[in-house]
Amino acid sequence: MITRTLARAGLAAGGALALKLVLSGPASAHVTIRPDVDTAGSYAKITVRVPNESDTAGTVRVELDLPVDTPIPSVRVQPHAGWTAEVTRTRFPEPVQVGDRTLEEAVTSITWTAEPGVRIGPDEFDEFAVSVGPLPEAGTYLFPATQTYDDGEVVAWAEEPVEGGKEPERPAPVLEVVAAPAEDEVETVADEQTAASEDDDAAASAASGGDDSDDLARGIGIGGLVVGAAGLGVGAAALRRRNA
């Protein structure tokens, strides 16, 4: 009876888990940026991860929009076999100040188009790399994406996240930029690392000294045994001469 009850419970739990995976699968298969967190003022390599959600069609075009209000001064696309990348630059009505730079234009979108016979097929994903920098001040930045399939379907990943709420159905890729550590924090970390290194050296030296002492003690003990053996040999020789 207990065995049957446990079996039913196991089947129920397994069914619930399978249902959860089925329901959560599509929600997690959206276009994203990896890594999704980086430091202000740094140059970063971000990767646009594109899963294919269709069971019958393949992805043949991906467009990524970059922030316009806070343009990124340097944007460089890494070549991707089988795909051509087109970079769109926008000239601003008035120069935009970004950090210590004044920009009159900036890259506002990148479009990857598959060559004939190439696509991201069902149950597949692909990644497209971009070097960007210096990153703007700390904050949350959206990189809306548009995914086009070879059957004509177009999916826009452009919805803004809702704080404390349910994730939107088609969320835009997000890059979270965090503030760089202050100089005193960097110095503190460096001092802690130096102190830790010195402690490790001291411990290693102490251990080495202990080994040297052990070796010396062993040497003295072996020397004593040799001298004792030699004395016994001399005494035995003298005794034989006396008896003779």
Side-chain angles (χ1 to χ4, degrees), residues 63-159:
E63 182 178 354
L64 183 75
D65 293 334
L66 280 66
V68 177
D69 295 337
T70 52
I72 300 174
S74 175
V75 178
R76 300 178 185 276
V77 181
Q78 180 173 303
H80 193 86
W83 296 73
T84 57
E86 180 182 355
V87 175
T88 300
R89 296 180 179 274
T90 299
R91 191 168 186 84
F92 306 122
E94 296 181 359
V96 177
Q97 193 69 27
V98 180
D100 59 353
R101 303 188 184 196
T102 301
L103 302 181
E104 295 184 352
E105 65 175 16
V107 175
T108 53
S109 71
I110 305 170
T111 302
W112 290 271
T113 303
E115 297 175 357
V118 177
R119 69 174 189 167
I120 306 172
D123 299 322
E124 295 179 347
F125 78 97
D126 208 340
E127 296 180 329
F128 305 89
V130 184
S131 172
V132 295
L135 293 179
E137 62 184 15
T140 301
Y141 298 90
L142 302 183
F143 289 70
T146 304
Q147 182 175 14
T148 303
Y149 291 87
D150 54 11
D151 64 355
E153 181 183 5
V154 178
V155 179
W157 301 94
E159 296 179 26

Side-chain angles (χ1 to χ4, degrees), residues 116-213:
V118 177
R119 69 174 189 167
I120 306 172
D123 299 322
E124 295 179 347
F125 78 97
D126 208 340
E127 296 180 329
F128 305 89
V130 184
S131 172
V132 295
L135 293 179
E137 62 184 15
T140 301
Y141 298 90
L142 302 183
F143 289 70
T146 304
Q147 182 175 14
T148 303
Y149 291 87
D150 54 11
D151 64 355
E153 181 183 5
V154 178
V155 179
W157 301 94
E159 296 179 26
E160 296 187 14
V162 179
E163 278 191 38
K166 184 180 178 181
E167 182 181 67
E169 183 180 0
R170 303 292 183 188
V174 174
L175 176 63
E176 188 75 26
V177 178
V178 298
E183 275 188 32
D184 55 348
E185 293 179 0
V186 174
E187 291 176 358
T188 299
V189 171
D191 292 342
E192 291 176 352
Q193 291 176 342
T194 301
S197 178
E198 291 176 350
D199 290 342
D200 291 341
D201 291 343
S205 178
S208 177
D211 292 342
D212 292 343
S213 298

